[in-house]
Amino acid sequence: MSEKGPLDGLLVADFSRILAGPYATMLLADLGAQVIKVEGPAGDDTRTWMPPVRDGVSTYYLGINRNKRSIALDLKNETDLADARSLAHRADVMIENFRPGGLARFGLDYDSVSAANKKIVYASISGFGTGAGAGLPGYDLMVQAISGLMSLTGDPDGSPFRAGISVFDVMAGLHANIGILAALHARAGTGRGQHVEVNLLSSALSGLVNHSSGYVAGGTIPFRMGNAHPSLFPYEPLPTADGELIVIAGNDGQFRKLCQVLDLPQLPDDPRFGRNQDRTANREELRPILLERLATRTKDEWFRDLIAAGVPCAPINTIDGGVTFAEELGLDPVVTTGGVPGIRNPITFSDSRARYELPPPTLDEHGEEIRKWLRS
């Protein structure tokens, strides 16, 4: 196996802040890219987003900034601005999430940078694109609300809820990386870079998949169903003798296996429940039948027997339980980089490996050496 990551030799100028951009660049850095994190004099906002903390540092910041080198540059200072431009002109990739047009006055917008660096793949992440939404601040919670996600999250008779993570920041970061890698592939043939643009709202509408498709293709506006699924049943937590268990019948064969384990062999042949669309239409008749049986044993007992029979199901863990289960499966979810624990890069390769060499940098930790290099 090669000791070098698949992106070894790639120089990334990271002018992004908060979550979407830094998450994207950390994944690139894990895979071998040299990422230089450019911060303002006050540092990335997430340095102050606490608790929780580790050794006085925000774990939010720690979770998305390993394998990077930090330089603090004040773009209003001519010397610092010259260093920023020098970095952009040398880089293979530049990524930023300023408000659209915000870097133009510094000569760090795509047109200015690409005029001096024809090979640059320049990725911009915004909240709502560069048109009529350019002036809107790009916070994930705003996008969760505006996109419709919050209308789907929560109890049917309760208030809308946001997702437990900034899901569209993460999604936009991943979409940005797909765009960057596609543009690098195109550059290999043309010798030219290009501008890659991603916005959170477009990522959200794409990521709403069956719900957004249900509206644009089927004219259906989905609504909150709690933990229920609009197109499958069962596909939700169901109570057992000592707590809830996620139970899934993703197809008719899985439902038949579920019924065998529950000692309800007649149900799959009942015309109300035989096909998925029948179970979905008659879920209020089917649910109490399943609950009566599930109440006779504990969730761990059902989990063991249902999984053994090939029925998808899962306990509802807290984060510690999720990490522990991944460890039990041999996925080695936790890696330590310079003494700082973090979650392993989720991608593995047959002939390359992710690297975990540099802990998340302190502000301007590598500034002196980077400035010397940029001015050489």
Side-chain angles (χ1 to χ4, degrees):
M1 176 175 285
S2 172
E3 293 297 322
K4 295 183 178 180
L7 299 181
D8 180 62
L10 197 72
L11 175 60
V12 178
D14 182 5
F15 284 77
S16 67
R17 296 79 52 84
I18 316 295
L19 177 52
Y23 179 65
T25 55
M26 182 184 73
L27 297 181
L28 296 176
D30 288 348
L31 301 183
Q34 179 184 356
V35 175
I36 296 178
K37 181 177 179 66
V38 179
E39 302 183 72
D44 192 313
D45 288 358
T46 58
R47 290 183 181 275
T48 66
W49 287 11
M50 53 182 73
V53 299
R54 179 184 177 87
D55 298 330
V57 182
S58 162
T59 59
Y60 200 121
Y61 171 80
L62 294 177
I64 50 176
N65 283 290
R66 68 175 170 236
N67 285 325
K68 304 177 187 180
R69 292 175 169 85
S70 170
I71 182 171
L73 296 175
D74 182 353
L75 299 184
K76 297 178 182 179
N77 177 283
E78 285 300 322
T79 302
D80 283 3
L81 180 56
D83 287 336
R85 288 172 177 166
S86 178
L87 175 59
H89 296 167
R90 296 182 185 211
D92 295 288
V93 175
M94 177 170 166
I95 184 167
E96 58 88 13
N97 60 352
F98 285 70
R99 282 197 184 187
L103 287 176
R105 64 191 175 111
F106 301 112
L108 289 168
D109 57 303
Y110 171 68
D111 288 340
S112 300
V113 172
S114 62
N117 182 0
K118 299 295 185 185
K119 70 176 184 179
I120 192 74
V121 171
Y122 187 112
S124 297
I125 303 174
S126 65
F128 300 92
T130 59
L136 294 173
Y139 282 87
D140 181 273
L141 182 56
M142 291 176 59
V143 180
Q144 289 198 32
I146 289 173
S147 67
L149 174 67
M150 289 180 64
S151 74
L152 303 174
T153 308
D155 292 328
D157 299 322
S159 300
F161 276 83
R162 74 174 183 90
I165 64 165
S166 295
V167 60
F168 296 136
D169 268 327
V170 172
M171 197 175 292
L174 294 173
H175 288 164
N177 273 359
I178 293 170
I180 287 168
L181 296 175
L184 288 170
H185 176 74
R187 189 182 76 176
T190 66
R192 300 188 308 274
Q194 58 184 296
H195 195 184
V196 175
E197 297 183 77
V198 173
N199 69 81
L200 269 66
L201 181 56
S202 293
S203 287
L205 295 178
S206 174
L208 285 168
V209 286
N210 56 302
H211 292 299
S212 50
S213 176
Y215 169 65
V216 300
T220 298
I221 299 176
F223 52 89
R224 283 193 303 284
M225 298 181 65
N227 285 315
H229 193 289
S231 308
L232 293 170
F233 185 82
Y235 192 98
E236 61 190 64
L238 296 175
T240 68
D242 66 345
E244 291 187 317
L245 181 72
I246 297 292
V247 179
I248 296 171
N251 55 54
D252 297 343
Q254 289 176 354
F255 180 68
R256 186 170 292 276
K257 292 177 181 178
L258 170 65
C259 292
Q260 290 172 349
V261 175
L262 296 182
D263 195 24
L264 295 169
Q266 73 282 2
L267 284 188
D269 299 319
D270 188 315
R272 296 173 299 169
F273 311 133
R275 301 176 304 165
N276 174 67
Q277 54 264 51
D278 301 323
R279 293 190 294 278
T280 302
N282 297 297
R283 67 176 73 208
E284 297 310 318
E285 297 176 59
L286 178 55
R287 182 181 281 107
I289 299 173
L290 299 179
L291 296 188
E292 182 178 7
R293 290 293 301 139
L294 289 168
T296 62
R297 302 176 69 196
T298 68
K299 60 181 183 294
D300 288 341
E301 291 171 333
W302 285 124
F303 176 65
R304 181 192 64 225
D305 290 351
L306 288 171
I307 287 294
V311 178
C313 63
I316 302 174
N317 290 332
T318 50
I319 296 293
D320 58 317
V323 171
T324 298
F325 188 66
E327 290 172 338
E328 291 171 355
L329 297 179
L331 298 178
D332 298 326
V334 179
V335 293
T336 301
T337 310
V340 179
I343 295 298
R344 179 181 297 278
N345 189 297
I347 305 169
T348 59
F349 299 87
S350 63
D351 194 40
S352 301
R353 65 177 63 189
R355 65 185 182 122
Y356 306 99
E357 297 175 357
L358 299 174
T362 59
L363 179 61
D364 203 42
E365 178 178 347
H366 308 93
E368 183 177 353
E369 63 183 88
I370 295 172
R371 288 182 183 89
K372 182 178 180 180
W373 170 69
L374 289 174
R375 298 170 188 176
S376 62

